[in-house]
Amino acid sequence: MEVSGWGRFPKTTAEIIEPVDSASLKKIVLAQNKSDSLICRGAGRSYGDSSLSSRMLSSRFLDSFLALDEKAQTIRCGAGVSLDAILKLCIPRGLFLKVVPGTRFVTVGGAIAADVHGKNHHQDGSFCDYVQNFSLMLASGEIVICSEEENSELFHATCAGMGLTGVIVDATIALEKLSSASIRQHSLVANNLKECFELLEANNGSKYSVAWLDCLSRGDELGRSLLFLGEHDEENESRAKLKYRSRGGPGIPFSTPAFLLNRFTMAIFNNSYFNLEKRSKQESIVDYDSYFFPLDNIGNWNRLYGSKGFLQYQFVIPTDAAFEGISKVLSKVSAAGKGSFLSVLKKFGKQNKNLLSFPREGYTLTLDFKREEKIFPLLNELDEIVLNHGGRLYLAKDARMSEAMFKAGYPEWERFLQVKNRVDPSSMFSSLQSNRLGLS
């Protein structure tokens, strides 16, 4: 069948295999022709080709809850369990995930494989910082337990390893206690990128922070933005505040014509959104789902970019070079008139010990571009800016990065390959992305 990532580019024809438990998973792995490619796939929410291969192992049925320890604040579950399912179980019990990405529909296995981050990385790090251990099936069919203390090297290669070391079967994750799932949101207006950086620095103590940028603005307004700070609303504690929410908004029933997305329509949207939010209340209480997962309320929102799909481009640049590098990227994008509705700036804290983890201390910017031939030369130019400022691209969003760009941005790639070659000497676990980047 034809499959793709969330960006709907690239597409490939693949055989989808759906093991129902670890025993059937082992039979599949042992029967695999070592010369063929195999990769695990969760909910298909990575954007590019990191979970695409000729044969794909779906974690769809590895979705059991195995243990919930409310006292220790931990949960153990199968790799196919979605973060949404965890929240549904945990929020009424006053528990919450310590890190959530921009969608609740990713699986636990996918969250570990990409070491996803959220709006609180500057304070709390990334998802794998709260993974206590996981069971990993190797190419040999053996299941090993990995943690900071046990098989530590393999743990740090698998966290953010994009499924290339084996198949995550289940995991134990630390949770946090809270008395309200509502978020006390504070919004601030930045008239340009310099003001946005200053506001992010001044509000570094806020638990959650994210800025929306108008990437088509120019001149003195380059990088004008809206900063959204957030804290759990602990001031108004009540059981009513501990409600799981699953609001479904309007869905996109078909791919919209690509020509509707152009500089003119995006400028109208960006101007309208900026001015509307600028006039709205600075402080408000919002539901957790609207703060963390605003796009989840729009079904199949990826169809907005047309049938050819889109590319999400996310990079991080170290703190000392971030303002200059991001200014150059925004200037290039604005001049090309290829901006996006979804341009998000966040601050990262210290990087962890995972060999291929994306976050590092600095600033990260995310941009969406509809797929068209003209966009690829522009992205190559952006690559050069990012690389010249010591940055790197996010593997979970990537669909076209060069091997040279990857290896320059991820200095631990050789150590990763050493671990992978030890546990998967024939490189059975590989993807379109890993082949392109020289990891398989």
Side-chain angles (χ1 to χ4, degrees):
M1 64 180 292
E2 187 177 71
V3 290
S4 68
W6 189 246
R8 306 174 78 192
F9 169 79
K11 295 179 180 178
T12 191
T13 300
E15 177 188 0
I16 309 293
I17 313 161
E18 299 180 330
V20 297
D21 53 27
S22 57
S24 60
L25 173 62
K26 182 175 182 177
K27 288 180 182 178
I28 294 166
V29 169
L30 291 178
Q32 171 78 4
N33 187 327
K34 301 300 182 185
S35 63
D36 289 339
S37 180
L38 182 70
I39 199 70
C40 196
R41 180 179 173 91
R45 289 292 178 132
S46 56
Y47 282 70
D49 54 2
S50 59
S51 67
L52 299 183
S53 187
S54 57
R55 299 188 85 211
M56 293 156 57
L57 272 171
S58 170
S59 63
R60 176 183 172 192
F61 295 117
L62 302 177
D63 61 349
S64 300
F65 285 103
L66 304 172
L68 174 62
D69 189 330
E70 295 187 49
K71 186 175 180 181
Q73 298 175 29
T74 62
I75 189 167
R76 181 174 171 236
C77 61
V81 171
S82 69
L83 302 193
D84 181 52
I86 292 177
L87 295 176
K88 186 175 184 179
L89 176 68
C90 291
I91 286 176
R93 292 171 169 82
L95 297 169
F96 203 78
L97 288 162
K98 288 177 175 283
V99 172
V100 292
T103 173
R104 65 184 188 271
F105 296 128
V106 300
T107 61
V108 166
I112 294 172
D115 195 11
V116 297
H117 55 273
K119 297 174 175 66
N120 57 333
H121 190 278
H122 63 290
Q123 288 222 340
D124 300 321
S126 55
F127 188 86
C128 288
D129 295 329
Y130 303 99
V131 174
Q132 295 188 346
N133 59 69
F134 52 77
S135 303
L136 183 71
M137 183 170 289
L138 305 178
S140 64
E142 178 189 4
I143 292 181
V144 296
I145 305 300
C146 300
S147 69
E148 283 277 5
E149 296 76 30
E150 189 174 2
N151 295 306
S152 174
E153 190 177 41
L154 186 53
F155 177 84
H156 290 299
T158 303
C159 291
M162 306 310 292
L164 299 176
T165 59
V167 181
I168 298 167
V169 180
D170 59 63
T172 301
I173 305 159
L175 305 168
E176 68 177 351
K177 192 76 177 172
L178 75 167
S179 53
S180 171
S182 297
I183 299 295
R184 184 175 292 275
Q185 178 178 281
H186 184 65
S187 60
L188 300 169
V189 176
N191 294 305
N192 51 52
L193 188 64
K194 185 173 184 294
E195 286 187 17
C196 186
F197 268 68
E198 289 171 349
L199 287 172
L200 281 166
E201 289 292 341
N203 291 279
N204 192 52
S206 179
K207 183 172 179 66
Y208 303 109
S209 64
V210 61
W212 170 86
L213 267 68
D214 177 2
C215 63
L216 290 178
S217 56
R218 296 184 177 192
D220 293 339
E221 291 188 329
L222 180 74
R224 67 173 182 171
S225 44
L226 301 161
L227 176 61
F228 300 98
L229 309 174
E231 303 281 349
H232 289 285
D233 183 30
E234 305 291 354
E235 294 180 17
N236 298 301
E237 300 178 10
S238 72
R239 297 303 295 179
K241 295 281 186 180
L242 294 172
K243 258 173 110 174
Y244 164 78
R245 298 183 181 275
S246 181
R247 284 184 290 185
I252 309 301
F254 52 81
S255 298
T256 57
F259 70 83
L260 293 178
L261 284 181
N262 54 58
R263 181 175 192 133
F264 178 71
T265 58
M266 285 189 288
I268 291 175
F269 173 85
N270 286 359
N271 278 321
S272 300
Y273 183 69
F274 182 81
N275 290 318
L276 181 66
E277 290 292 335
K278 189 175 182 179
R279 291 193 296 267
S280 64
K281 290 192 302 182
Q282 283 196 341
E283 292 210 19
S284 57
I285 305 299
V286 298
D287 296 326
Y288 74 89
D289 59 325
S290 62
Y291 185 79
F292 294 117
F293 319 119
L295 287 175
D296 282 351
N297 292 327
I298 306 173
N300 298 313
W301 65 263
N302 55 346
R303 293 176 177 172
L304 287 169
Y305 290 89
S307 59
K308 291 184 178 179
F310 71 103
L311 295 98
Q312 187 163 102
Y313 187 85
Q314 183 172 2
F315 64 91
V316 59
I317 292 179
T319 303
D320 58 354
F323 178 76
E324 178 183 294
I326 292 174
S327 295
K328 288 183 177 180
V329 166
L330 289 174
S331 296
K332 183 78 69 175
V333 170
S334 178
K338 300 296 182 184
S340 67
F341 300 118
L342 306 173
S343 305
V344 176
L345 178 71
K346 289 182 287 195
K347 185 179 180 183
F348 278 162
K350 293 180 180 178
Q351 69 182 74
N352 56 30
K353 294 188 287 185
N354 302 327
L355 302 182
L356 299 184
S357 193
F358 167 67
R360 59 175 299 176
E361 194 161 3
Y363 287 83
T364 178
L365 180 66
T366 305
L367 302 161
D368 285 354
F369 301 97
K370 71 175 181 181
R371 183 168 75 92
E372 53 186 344
E373 287 309 309
K374 298 184 210 172
I375 206 63
F376 291 94
L378 173 63
L379 295 180
N380 290 336
E381 292 178 23
L382 300 188
D383 285 352
E384 188 174 347
I385 295 172
V386 171
L387 203 55
N388 288 341
H389 290 81
R392 60 183 174 221
L393 307 185
Y394 190 13
L395 291 172
K397 306 292 180 69
D398 166 55
R400 35 67 59 193
M401 177 180 13
S402 70
E403 181 176 343
M405 176 74 181
F406 162 70
K407 290 180 175 178
Y410 287 85
E412 299 286 4
W413 70 269
E414 289 180 289
R415 278 186 62 202
F416 173 83
L417 264 186
Q418 289 173 1
V419 178
K420 175 173 170 56
N421 291 337
R422 175 165 53 82
V423 297
D424 182 19
S426 62
S427 206
M428 181 174 73
F429 295 111
S430 60
S431 63
L432 298 186
Q433 181 184 66
S434 69
N435 293 337
R436 172 166 49 85
L437 299 182
L439 288 175
S440 56

